PDB file of all heavy atoms in Angstrom:
ATOM      1  N   SER A1354     -14.072  18.839  35.851  1.00  0.00           N
ATOM      2  CA  SER A1354     -14.891  18.057  34.930  1.00  0.00           C
ATOM      3  C   SER A1354     -15.390  16.786  35.613  1.00  0.00           C
ATOM      4  O   SER A1354     -15.838  16.830  36.757  1.00  0.00           O
ATOM      5  CB  SER A1354     -14.102  17.750  33.662  1.00  0.00           C
ATOM      6  OG  SER A1354     -14.929  17.204  32.669  1.00  0.00           O
ATOM      7  N   TYR A1355     -15.297  15.661  34.987  1.00  0.00           N
ATOM      8  CA  TYR A1355     -15.851  14.402  35.506  1.00  0.00           C
ATOM      9  C   TYR A1355     -14.910  13.792  36.545  1.00  0.00           C
ATOM     10  O   TYR A1355     -13.707  14.097  36.572  1.00  0.00           O
ATOM     11  CB  TYR A1355     -16.071  13.418  34.351  1.00  0.00           C
ATOM     12  CG  TYR A1355     -14.815  13.075  33.575  1.00  0.00           C
ATOM     13  CD1 TYR A1355     -14.009  12.002  33.965  1.00  0.00           C
ATOM     14  CD2 TYR A1355     -14.412  13.816  32.470  1.00  0.00           C
ATOM     15  CE1 TYR A1355     -12.857  11.683  33.274  1.00  0.00           C
ATOM     16  CE2 TYR A1355     -13.257  13.505  31.770  1.00  0.00           C
ATOM     17  CZ  TYR A1355     -12.483  12.440  32.177  1.00  0.00           C
ATOM     18  OH  TYR A1355     -11.326  12.126  31.501  1.00  0.00           O
ATOM     19  N   PRO A1356     -15.403  12.926  37.409  1.00  0.00           N
ATOM     20  CA  PRO A1356     -14.531  12.283  38.397  1.00  0.00           C
ATOM     21  C   PRO A1356     -13.492  11.394  37.722  1.00  0.00           C
ATOM     22  O   PRO A1356     -13.801  10.659  36.783  1.00  0.00           O
ATOM     23  CB  PRO A1356     -15.501  11.434  39.234  1.00  0.00           C
ATOM     24  CG  PRO A1356     -16.704  11.241  38.374  1.00  0.00           C
ATOM     25  CD  PRO A1356     -16.807  12.489  37.540  1.00  0.00           C
ATOM     26  N   GLY A1357     -12.252  11.503  38.196  1.00  0.00           N
ATOM     27  CA  GLY A1357     -11.164  10.722  37.609  1.00  0.00           C
ATOM     28  C   GLY A1357     -10.614  11.321  36.337  1.00  0.00           C
ATOM     29  O   GLY A1357      -9.923  10.627  35.576  1.00  0.00           O
ATOM     30  N   CYS A1358     -10.873  12.588  36.067  1.00  0.00           N
ATOM     31  CA  CYS A1358     -10.451  13.219  34.814  1.00  0.00           C
ATOM     32  C   CYS A1358      -8.936  13.157  34.642  1.00  0.00           C
ATOM     33  O   CYS A1358      -8.178  13.571  35.523  1.00  0.00           O
ATOM     34  CB  CYS A1358     -10.925  14.665  34.784  1.00  0.00           C
ATOM     35  SG  CYS A1358     -10.460  15.559  33.285  1.00  0.00           S
ATOM     36  N   THR A1359      -8.514  12.640  33.528  1.00  0.00           N
ATOM     37  CA  THR A1359      -7.098  12.640  33.172  1.00  0.00           C
ATOM     38  C   THR A1359      -6.972  12.569  31.655  1.00  0.00           C
ATOM     39  O   THR A1359      -7.895  12.127  30.965  1.00  0.00           O
ATOM     40  CB  THR A1359      -6.344  11.475  33.837  1.00  0.00           C
ATOM     41  OG1 THR A1359      -4.943  11.596  33.571  1.00  0.00           O
ATOM     42  CG2 THR A1359      -6.819  10.133  33.293  1.00  0.00           C
ATOM     43  N   LEU A1360      -5.829  13.024  31.151  1.00  0.00           N
ATOM     44  CA  LEU A1360      -5.572  13.025  29.719  1.00  0.00           C
ATOM     45  C   LEU A1360      -4.298  12.237  29.436  1.00  0.00           C
ATOM     46  O   LEU A1360      -3.469  12.028  30.329  1.00  0.00           O
ATOM     47  CB  LEU A1360      -5.439  14.444  29.171  1.00  0.00           C
ATOM     48  CG  LEU A1360      -6.709  15.306  29.211  1.00  0.00           C
ATOM     49  CD1 LEU A1360      -6.698  16.189  30.448  1.00  0.00           C
ATOM     50  CD2 LEU A1360      -6.825  16.159  27.949  1.00  0.00           C
ATOM     51  N   THR A1361      -4.120  11.847  28.192  1.00  0.00           N
ATOM     52  CA  THR A1361      -2.955  11.019  27.842  1.00  0.00           C
ATOM     53  C   THR A1361      -1.747  11.836  27.412  1.00  0.00           C
ATOM     54  O   THR A1361      -0.646  11.292  27.336  1.00  0.00           O
ATOM     55  CB  THR A1361      -3.313  10.047  26.701  1.00  0.00           C
ATOM     56  OG1 THR A1361      -3.724  10.792  25.553  1.00  0.00           O
ATOM     57  CG2 THR A1361      -4.439   9.108  27.116  1.00  0.00           C
ATOM     58  N   THR A1362      -1.923  13.120  27.108  1.00  0.00           N
ATOM     59  CA  THR A1362      -0.813  13.937  26.630  1.00  0.00           C
ATOM     60  C   THR A1362      -0.909  15.347  27.210  1.00  0.00           C
ATOM     61  O   THR A1362      -1.999  15.812  27.567  1.00  0.00           O
ATOM     62  CB  THR A1362      -0.816  14.053  25.096  1.00  0.00           C
ATOM     63  OG1 THR A1362      -2.069  14.597  24.668  1.00  0.00           O
ATOM     64  CG2 THR A1362      -0.602  12.704  24.438  1.00  0.00           C
ATOM     65  N   PRO A1363       0.218  16.058  27.296  1.00  0.00           N
ATOM     66  CA  PRO A1363       0.182  17.470  27.707  1.00  0.00           C
ATOM     67  C   PRO A1363      -0.308  18.338  26.555  1.00  0.00           C
ATOM     68  O   PRO A1363      -0.431  17.862  25.417  1.00  0.00           O
ATOM     69  CB  PRO A1363       1.650  17.764  28.033  1.00  0.00           C
ATOM     70  CG  PRO A1363       2.425  16.827  27.157  1.00  0.00           C
ATOM     71  CD  PRO A1363       1.598  15.571  27.084  1.00  0.00           C
ATOM     72  N   PRO A1364      -0.599  19.616  26.812  1.00  0.00           N
ATOM     73  CA  PRO A1364      -1.024  20.498  25.725  1.00  0.00           C
ATOM     74  C   PRO A1364       0.090  20.690  24.706  1.00  0.00           C
ATOM     75  O   PRO A1364       1.278  20.645  25.038  1.00  0.00           O
ATOM     76  CB  PRO A1364      -1.373  21.808  26.443  1.00  0.00           C
ATOM     77  CG  PRO A1364      -0.586  21.762  27.707  1.00  0.00           C
ATOM     78  CD  PRO A1364      -0.512  20.330  28.107  1.00  0.00           C
ATOM     79  N   GLY A1365      -0.308  20.882  23.435  1.00  0.00           N
ATOM     80  CA  GLY A1365       0.679  21.053  22.375  1.00  0.00           C
ATOM     81  C   GLY A1365       0.163  21.926  21.264  1.00  0.00           C
ATOM     82  O   GLY A1365      -1.021  22.295  21.228  1.00  0.00           O
ATOM     83  N   ASP A1366       1.054  22.246  20.333  1.00  0.00           N
ATOM     84  CA  ASP A1366       0.692  23.083  19.199  1.00  0.00           C
ATOM     85  C   ASP A1366       0.008  22.252  18.120  1.00  0.00           C
ATOM     86  O   ASP A1366       0.098  21.019  18.099  1.00  0.00           O
ATOM     87  CB  ASP A1366       1.938  23.747  18.612  1.00  0.00           C
ATOM     88  CG  ASP A1366       2.589  24.725  19.578  1.00  0.00           C
ATOM     89  OD1 ASP A1366       1.847  25.361  20.357  1.00  0.00           O
ATOM     90  OD2 ASP A1366       3.834  24.833  19.564  1.00  0.00           O
ATOM     91  N   ALA A1367      -0.650  22.939  17.213  1.00  0.00           N
ATOM     92  CA  ALA A1367      -1.304  22.273  16.085  1.00  0.00           C
ATOM     93  C   ALA A1367      -0.278  21.907  15.025  1.00  0.00           C
ATOM     94  O   ALA A1367       0.813  22.484  14.949  1.00  0.00           O
ATOM     95  CB  ALA A1367      -2.362  23.178  15.490  1.00  0.00           C
ATOM     96  N   SER A1368      -0.649  20.944  14.207  1.00  0.00           N
ATOM     97  CA  SER A1368       0.173  20.535  13.065  1.00  0.00           C
ATOM     98  C   SER A1368      -0.624  20.750  11.787  1.00  0.00           C
ATOM     99  O   SER A1368      -1.838  20.548  11.768  1.00  0.00           O
ATOM    100  CB  SER A1368       0.552  19.054  13.172  1.00  0.00           C
ATOM    101  OG  SER A1368       1.275  18.799  14.344  1.00  0.00           O
ATOM    102  N   PRO A1369       0.048  21.142  10.711  1.00  0.00           N
ATOM    103  CA  PRO A1369      -0.674  21.268   9.438  1.00  0.00           C
ATOM    104  C   PRO A1369      -1.098  19.888   8.934  1.00  0.00           C
ATOM    105  O   PRO A1369      -0.433  18.899   9.186  1.00  0.00           O
ATOM    106  CB  PRO A1369       0.353  21.911   8.504  1.00  0.00           C
ATOM    107  CG  PRO A1369       1.676  21.610   9.111  1.00  0.00           C
ATOM    108  CD  PRO A1369       1.465  21.516  10.583  1.00  0.00           C
ATOM    109  N   TYR A1370      -2.222  19.828   8.249  1.00  0.00           N
ATOM    110  CA  TYR A1370      -2.666  18.578   7.647  1.00  0.00           C
ATOM    111  C   TYR A1370      -2.998  18.828   6.186  1.00  0.00           C
ATOM    112  O   TYR A1370      -3.224  19.971   5.758  1.00  0.00           O
ATOM    113  CB  TYR A1370      -3.854  17.969   8.387  1.00  0.00           C
ATOM    114  CG  TYR A1370      -5.168  18.700   8.218  1.00  0.00           C
ATOM    115  CD1 TYR A1370      -6.070  18.342   7.213  1.00  0.00           C
ATOM    116  CD2 TYR A1370      -5.520  19.743   9.076  1.00  0.00           C
ATOM    117  CE1 TYR A1370      -7.275  19.004   7.065  1.00  0.00           C
ATOM    118  CE2 TYR A1370      -6.721  20.411   8.935  1.00  0.00           C
ATOM    119  CZ  TYR A1370      -7.593  20.036   7.929  1.00  0.00           C
ATOM    120  OH  TYR A1370      -8.786  20.700   7.776  1.00  0.00           O
ATOM    121  N   GLY A1371      -3.027  17.755   5.419  1.00  0.00           N
ATOM    122  CA  GLY A1371      -3.221  17.883   3.983  1.00  0.00           C
ATOM    123  C   GLY A1371      -4.502  17.251   3.502  1.00  0.00           C
ATOM    124  O   GLY A1371      -5.156  16.479   4.204  1.00  0.00           O
ATOM    125  N   LEU A1372      -4.841  17.575   2.276  1.00  0.00           N
ATOM    126  CA  LEU A1372      -5.978  16.995   1.575  1.00  0.00           C
ATOM    127  C   LEU A1372      -5.459  16.347   0.303  1.00  0.00           C
ATOM    128  O   LEU A1372      -4.632  16.924  -0.398  1.00  0.00           O
ATOM    129  CB  LEU A1372      -7.011  18.062   1.225  1.00  0.00           C
ATOM    130  CG  LEU A1372      -7.515  18.950   2.361  1.00  0.00           C
ATOM    131  CD1 LEU A1372      -8.436  20.032   1.812  1.00  0.00           C
ATOM    132  CD2 LEU A1372      -8.228  18.117   3.412  1.00  0.00           C
ATOM    133  N   PHE A1373      -5.939  15.140   0.021  1.00  0.00           N
ATOM    134  CA  PHE A1373      -5.508  14.438  -1.175  1.00  0.00           C
ATOM    135  C   PHE A1373      -6.697  14.231  -2.093  1.00  0.00           C
ATOM    136  O   PHE A1373      -7.782  13.853  -1.634  1.00  0.00           O
ATOM    137  CB  PHE A1373      -4.892  13.074  -0.829  1.00  0.00           C
ATOM    138  CG  PHE A1373      -4.433  12.296  -2.029  1.00  0.00           C
ATOM    139  CD1 PHE A1373      -3.198  12.538  -2.598  1.00  0.00           C
ATOM    140  CD2 PHE A1373      -5.250  11.323  -2.600  1.00  0.00           C
ATOM    141  CE1 PHE A1373      -2.774  11.828  -3.709  1.00  0.00           C
ATOM    142  CE2 PHE A1373      -4.837  10.606  -3.709  1.00  0.00           C
ATOM    143  CZ  PHE A1373      -3.593  10.862  -4.272  1.00  0.00           C
ATOM    144  N   ALA A1374      -6.503  14.488  -3.375  1.00  0.00           N
ATOM    145  CA  ALA A1374      -7.567  14.286  -4.352  1.00  0.00           C
ATOM    146  C   ALA A1374      -6.975  13.647  -5.601  1.00  0.00           C
ATOM    147  O   ALA A1374      -5.783  13.805  -5.907  1.00  0.00           O
ATOM    148  CB  ALA A1374      -8.238  15.605  -4.710  1.00  0.00           C
ATOM    149  N   VAL A1375      -7.806  12.898  -6.319  1.00  0.00           N
ATOM    150  CA  VAL A1375      -7.394  12.248  -7.552  1.00  0.00           C
ATOM    151  C   VAL A1375      -8.047  12.947  -8.730  1.00  0.00           C
ATOM    152  O   VAL A1375      -9.263  13.167  -8.744  1.00  0.00           O
ATOM    153  CB  VAL A1375      -7.780  10.752  -7.559  1.00  0.00           C
ATOM    154  CG1 VAL A1375      -7.468  10.128  -8.912  1.00  0.00           C
ATOM    155  CG2 VAL A1375      -7.031  10.015  -6.451  1.00  0.00           C
ATOM    156  N   GLU A1376      -7.232  13.326  -9.710  1.00  0.00           N
ATOM    157  CA  GLU A1376      -7.727  13.920 -10.942  1.00  0.00           C
ATOM    158  C   GLU A1376      -7.178  13.096 -12.116  1.00  0.00           C
ATOM    159  O   GLU A1376      -6.515  12.078 -11.922  1.00  0.00           O
ATOM    160  CB  GLU A1376      -7.293  15.386 -11.045  1.00  0.00           C
ATOM    161  CG  GLU A1376      -7.814  16.244  -9.893  1.00  0.00           C
ATOM    162  CD  GLU A1376      -7.337  17.691  -9.971  1.00  0.00           C
ATOM    163  OE1 GLU A1376      -6.688  18.048 -10.988  1.00  0.00           O
ATOM    164  OE2 GLU A1376      -7.600  18.449  -9.028  1.00  0.00           O
ATOM    165  N   GLU A1377      -7.488  13.538 -13.316  1.00  0.00           N
ATOM    166  CA  GLU A1377      -6.982  12.859 -14.510  1.00  0.00           C
ATOM    167  C   GLU A1377      -6.427  13.876 -15.484  1.00  0.00           C
ATOM    168  O   GLU A1377      -6.792  15.053 -15.445  1.00  0.00           O
ATOM    169  CB  GLU A1377      -8.094  12.045 -15.188  1.00  0.00           C
ATOM    170  CG  GLU A1377      -8.593  10.861 -14.380  1.00  0.00           C
ATOM    171  CD  GLU A1377      -9.643  10.070 -15.128  1.00  0.00           C
ATOM    172  OE1 GLU A1377     -10.152  10.577 -16.155  1.00  0.00           O
ATOM    173  OE2 GLU A1377      -9.952   8.949 -14.702  1.00  0.00           O
ATOM    174  N   VAL A1378      -5.553  13.416 -16.347  1.00  0.00           N
ATOM    175  CA  VAL A1378      -5.022  14.239 -17.416  1.00  0.00           C
ATOM    176  C   VAL A1378      -4.821  13.344 -18.631  1.00  0.00           C
ATOM    177  O   VAL A1378      -4.459  12.165 -18.492  1.00  0.00           O
ATOM    178  CB  VAL A1378      -3.693  14.917 -16.997  1.00  0.00           C
ATOM    179  CG1 VAL A1378      -2.608  13.878 -16.716  1.00  0.00           C
ATOM    180  CG2 VAL A1378      -3.225  15.905 -18.049  1.00  0.00           C
ATOM    181  N   ALA A1379      -5.078  13.879 -19.799  1.00  0.00           N
ATOM    182  CA  ALA A1379      -4.884  13.102 -21.033  1.00  0.00           C
ATOM    183  C   ALA A1379      -3.415  12.721 -21.169  1.00  0.00           C
ATOM    184  O   ALA A1379      -2.515  13.532 -20.905  1.00  0.00           O
ATOM    185  CB  ALA A1379      -5.349  13.909 -22.236  1.00  0.00           C
ATOM    186  N   GLN A1380      -3.173  11.483 -21.593  1.00  0.00           N
ATOM    187  CA  GLN A1380      -1.788  11.003 -21.710  1.00  0.00           C
ATOM    188  C   GLN A1380      -0.962  11.898 -22.629  1.00  0.00           C
ATOM    189  O   GLN A1380       0.211  12.180 -22.334  1.00  0.00           O
ATOM    190  CB  GLN A1380      -1.780   9.565 -22.226  1.00  0.00           C
ATOM    191  CG  GLN A1380      -2.321   8.526 -21.259  1.00  0.00           C
ATOM    192  CD  GLN A1380      -1.376   7.345 -21.094  1.00  0.00           C
ATOM    193  OE1 GLN A1380      -0.151   7.499 -21.130  1.00  0.00           O
ATOM    194  NE2 GLN A1380      -1.937   6.169 -20.895  1.00  0.00           N
TER     195      GLN A1380
END
Side-chain angles (χ1 to χ4, degrees):
S1354 190
Y1355 59 89
C1358 180
T1359 186
L1360 294 97
T1361 60
T1362 57
D1366 295 327
S1368 300
Y1370 71 92
L1372 307 175
F1373 180 83
V1375 174
E1376 300 178 6
E1377 293 182 347
V1378 63
Q1380 291 230 34

